[in-house]
C-alpha cells in the first residue's frame, strides 16, 4: 500500500456529509490518518431534506471503491415515479424492474450517514465543531472552532457545504442565486395526516408540473413524506426580503394561493405541514481558476467545490466523484507532492462538475416553461 504523500501527516476534513465521510473512508482504506470535524452536535442530529439516489456511473462507483455498494443496496429503496397533472390525474407510472432496481435507489440522508459512520474507525468524526477560522502556523494548518480547542493538520479538505466560509482560501468566486426557490415540507405519519395525497403516491415518488409550478414528493423517507414545491422567485421578493418561510400559517397561505387551481389532495398536503424550509437555489460558478498561492495544501470537494441546483440529480454524485478522484491521487503514488495531486484532481473536477452544472442549469430553464413536462425531461 503506497501512501507516501501522506505518510506521517494528518488530514482534516471539514464536514460530515456524504462526501466528507466517503472521503474519510477512502483515505482510511489506504492507512491515512484522517479526522472529520462536524458542526452537528452528534450523529443523531437529523439531516433535513429528501432522499438521495446514487447513480451507477458516479456515486455507486465511489461506494464500490469504499466497499459499501452492497450495503447501500440493502439500505436503499428502489422507487417508481408517478407523473400526475395538477388535477391529480395519473399520466403515467414508471416502476422499478429487476433489471434496473439498482440504477439509482433512494436512501434516507441519516441512513446514509450512519452507513458511512459505521465504516470508519472509531472517533474519526469529532462532533460539535463549528469551524471559525484557519491560519498557517509553523508549517501546519491551525483550525479554530467555536468554544472548542484548536486542532492542527497538514492537509485540509473542505466539504462543509455550499456556503462554506473556508472556501475563500481556495477561491474568491462568490456563490450566486439562480432565480429558483424551493419550499420543502415533511409530514410524519402521512397515511394519517394527509391520507388522500399519500394514496395518490401509491408508494411511488410523485411529480407534478403546471404553469411553472412544480411539486416533487417522496412518501417513504423513513416514515416521513418529504416534498418540495419549486417555482421561479417572484421579482417583488428582491425588495421585501421575500417570504417568511418559518411562519407556517403565512407559508401555507402563500402556497395555497400559488396552487389555487390545483386539486384538493395537493392542498391537503400543504395544510398538513407544520414546518417549512425555504431554499433559494444557488451555484458556485467554475469559470474562474482557483488560487495558486495557497499557503499550505488545501482543496474543496462536494458542494463547497461546485454548488449547483438539484435539477439533474448530480450534486452528491459529483461530490462522491470528487472523493474518489482526490483519494486516489493522494494514495496511488503517481504524484511527487500533495499539491500536484490536488492540482490534477481539481483539473479533472472542473471538467466533470462544469458538465453537471450545465445539465442542471439547462433543466432549470426548462422547468420554468409553462408547458414543462417531467415525463419529457426524464425521457431526454
Amino acid at each position: 500500500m503506497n501512501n507516501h504523500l501522506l505518510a506521517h501527516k494528518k488530514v482534516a476534513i471539514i464536514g460530515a456529509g456524504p462526501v466528507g465521510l466517503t472521503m474519510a473512508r477512502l483515505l482510511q482504506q489506504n492507512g491515512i490518518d484522517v479526522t472529520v470535524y462536524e458542526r452537528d452536535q452528534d450523529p443523531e442530529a437529523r439531516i433535513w431534506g429528501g432522499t438521495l439516489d446514487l447513480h451507477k456511473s458516479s456515486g455507486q462507483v465511489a461506494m464500490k471503491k469504499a466497499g459499501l455498494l452492497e450495503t447501500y443496496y440493502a439500505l436503499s429503496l428502489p422507487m417508481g415515479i408517478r407523473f400526475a397533472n395538477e388535477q391529480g390525474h395519473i399520466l403515467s407510472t414508471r416502476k422499478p424492474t429487476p433489471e434496473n432496481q439498482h440504477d439509482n435507489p433512494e436512501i434516507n440522508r441519516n441512513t446514509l450517514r450512519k452507513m458511512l459512520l459505521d465504516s470508519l474507525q472509531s472517533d474519526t468524526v469529532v462532533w460539535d465543531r463549528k469551524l471559525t477560522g484557519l491560519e498557517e502556523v509553523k508549517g501546519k494548518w491551525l483550525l479554530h472552532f467555536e468554544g472548542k480547542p484548536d486542532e492542527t493538520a497538514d492537509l485540509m479538505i473542505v466539504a462543509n457545504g455550499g456556503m462554506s466560509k473556508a472556501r475563500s482560501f481556495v477561491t474568491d468566486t462568490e456563490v450566486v442565486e439562480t432565480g429558483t426557490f424551493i419550499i420543502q415540507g415533511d409530514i410524519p405519519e402521512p397515511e394519517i395526516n394527509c391520507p388522500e395525497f399519500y394514496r395518490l403516491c401509491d408508494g411511488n415518488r410523485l411529480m407534478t408540473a403546471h404553469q411553472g409550478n412544480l411539486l416533487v414528493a417522496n412518501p417513504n423517507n423513513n416514515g416521513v413524506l418529504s416534498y418540495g414545491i419549486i417555482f421561479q422567485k417572484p421579482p417583488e421578493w428582491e425588495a421585501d426580503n421575500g417570504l417568511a418561510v418559518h411562519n407556517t400559517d403565512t407559508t401555507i397561505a402563500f402556497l395555497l394561493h400559488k396552487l389555487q387551481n390545483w386539486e384538493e389532495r395537493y392542498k391537503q398536503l400543504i395544510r398538513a405541514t407544520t414546518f417549512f424550509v425555504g431554499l433559494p437555489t444557488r451555484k458556485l460558478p467554475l469559470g474562474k481558476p482557483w488560487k495558486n498561492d495557497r499557503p499550505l495544501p488545501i482543496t474543496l470537494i462536494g458542494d463547497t467545490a461546485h454548488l449547483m441546483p438539484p435539477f439533474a440529480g448530480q450534486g452528491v454524485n459529483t461530490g462522491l466523484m470528487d472523493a474518489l478522484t482526490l483519494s486516489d491521487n493522494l494514495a496511488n503514488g503517481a504524484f511527487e507532492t500533495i499539491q500536484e495531486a490536488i492540482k490534477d484532481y481539481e483539473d479533472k473536477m472542473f471538467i466533470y462538475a462544469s458538465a453537471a452544472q450545465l445539465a442542471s442549469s439547462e433543466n432549470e430553464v426548462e422547468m420554468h416553461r409553462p408547458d414543462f413536462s417531467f415525463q419529457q425531461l426524464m425521457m431526454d
Side-chain angles (χ1 to χ4, degrees):
M1 184 161 48
N2 189 344
N3 59 11
H4 71 279
L5 284 181
L6 293 171
H8 312 298
K9 295 186 182 297
K10 180 178 178 181
V11 179
I13 299 173
I14 305 300
V19 176
L21 293 177
T22 301
M23 185 77 208
R25 165 69 175 178
L26 293 169
L27 292 179
Q28 285 188 348
Q29 284 181 315
N30 288 280
I32 294 168
D33 181 11
V34 56
T35 302
V36 181
Y37 299 96
E38 167 57 42
R39 66 184 296 169
D40 281 350
Q41 294 290 315
D42 54 56
E44 304 305 316
R46 183 179 181 277
I47 307 171
W48 182 267
T51 53
L52 297 170
D53 62 302
L54 307 187
H55 298 177
K56 291 195 79 169
S57 61
S58 51
Q60 291 189 33
V61 178
M63 288 299 106
K64 184 175 182 179
K65 184 68 176 289
L68 297 171
L69 185 58
E70 293 303 319
T71 307
Y72 163 65
Y73 288 155
L75 295 172
S76 59
L77 179 66
M79 294 190 72
I81 304 173
R82 287 194 121 184
F83 302 98
N85 67 12
E86 81 285 1
Q87 295 306 310
H89 298 140
I90 302 302
L91 305 175
S92 66
T93 301
R94 182 181 299 176
K95 287 284 190 181
T97 66
E99 293 73 27
N100 69 17
Q101 63 175 326
H102 289 155
D103 282 2
N104 52 353
E106 304 285 330
I107 189 167
N108 173 269
R109 292 170 187 259
N110 278 83
T111 300
L112 180 59
R113 172 181 270 185
K114 185 178 187 305
M115 181 191 85
L116 291 165
L117 288 173
D118 288 347
S119 76
L120 297 174
Q121 298 169 14
S122 61
D123 301 323
T124 298
V125 180
V126 182
W127 302 93
D128 192 20
R129 293 298 187 275
K130 179 182 178 181
L131 185 72
T132 59
L134 277 177
E135 60 178 317
E136 177 192 5
V137 176
K138 297 180 180 179
K140 290 184 178 290
W141 286 111
L142 184 64
L143 292 68
H144 302 296
F145 297 99
E146 185 176 273
K148 302 294 181 179
D150 294 340
E151 301 284 353
T152 61
D154 298 289
L155 166 62
M156 290 289 304
I157 300 174
V158 187
N160 61 342
M163 304 308 290
S164 172
K165 294 180 180 178
R167 180 193 286 125
S168 62
F169 282 85
V170 178
T171 176
D172 292 325
T173 303
E174 298 285 343
V175 168
V176 296
E177 293 193 10
T178 66
T180 300
F181 200 83
I182 305 173
I183 295 179
Q184 294 184 340
D186 276 0
I187 300 177
E189 299 184 298
E191 65 278 12
I192 297 172
N193 293 313
C194 57
E196 284 80 15
F197 184 86
Y198 182 74
R199 284 194 290 270
L200 181 65
C201 295
D202 192 30
N204 305 278
R205 289 181 293 152
L206 187 96
M207 298 184 178
T208 305
H210 181 63
Q211 294 183 344
N213 296 315
L214 302 92
L215 180 142
V216 178
N218 184 335
N220 192 350
N221 186 3
N222 273 22
V224 171
L225 187 152
S226 299
Y227 71 94
I229 296 175
I230 307 162
F231 53 91
Q232 205 156 21
K233 193 173 175 181
E236 59 269 20
W237 281 16
E238 301 298 334
D240 61 10
N241 296 318
L243 178 70
V245 178
H246 62 277
N247 186 317
T248 302
D249 292 340
T250 300
T251 302
I252 289 174
F254 171 82
L255 291 175
L256 290 176
H257 177 73
K258 178 166 278 293
L259 306 186
Q260 59 185 304
N261 296 322
W262 291 40
E263 199 261 349
E264 179 60 29
R265 282 172 288 187
Y266 296 105
K267 297 174 182 177
Q268 178 190 78
L269 174 75
I270 294 166
R271 294 191 189 99
T273 308
T274 58
F275 180 75
F276 294 97
V277 171
L279 303 170
T281 60
R282 303 181 173 104
K283 74 174 181 179
L284 180 74
L286 292 173
K288 178 182 175 183
W290 287 356
K291 297 178 180 179
N292 290 320
D293 59 346
R294 304 169 208 177
L296 290 169
I298 182 172
T299 192
L300 317 175
I301 60 176
D303 283 351
T304 313
H306 43 64
L307 180 64
M308 66 187 79
F311 303 133
Q314 297 282 14
V316 70
N317 287 286
T318 305
L320 292 173
M321 286 301 297
D322 299 343
L324 184 65
T325 305
L326 179 58
S327 63
D328 188 56
N329 279 12
L330 291 169
N332 64 14
F335 300 93
E336 292 295 324
T337 67
I338 297 173
Q339 287 85 345
E340 288 177 6
I342 288 173
K343 177 66 164 57
D344 182 80
Y345 148 69
E346 290 175 357
D347 288 345
K348 292 173 179 174
M349 180 274 292
F350 262 66
I351 295 171
Y352 62 73
S354 294
Q357 281 191 343
L358 178 61
S360 179
S361 296
E362 289 176 345
N363 286 350
E364 185 173 11
V365 171
E366 285 298 308
M367 288 166 63
H368 292 308
R369 291 167 54 95
D371 59 348
F372 169 76
S373 163
F374 272 120
Q375 295 161 284
Q376 189 60 47
L377 175 69
M378 301 187 78
M379 287 172 55
D380 292 341

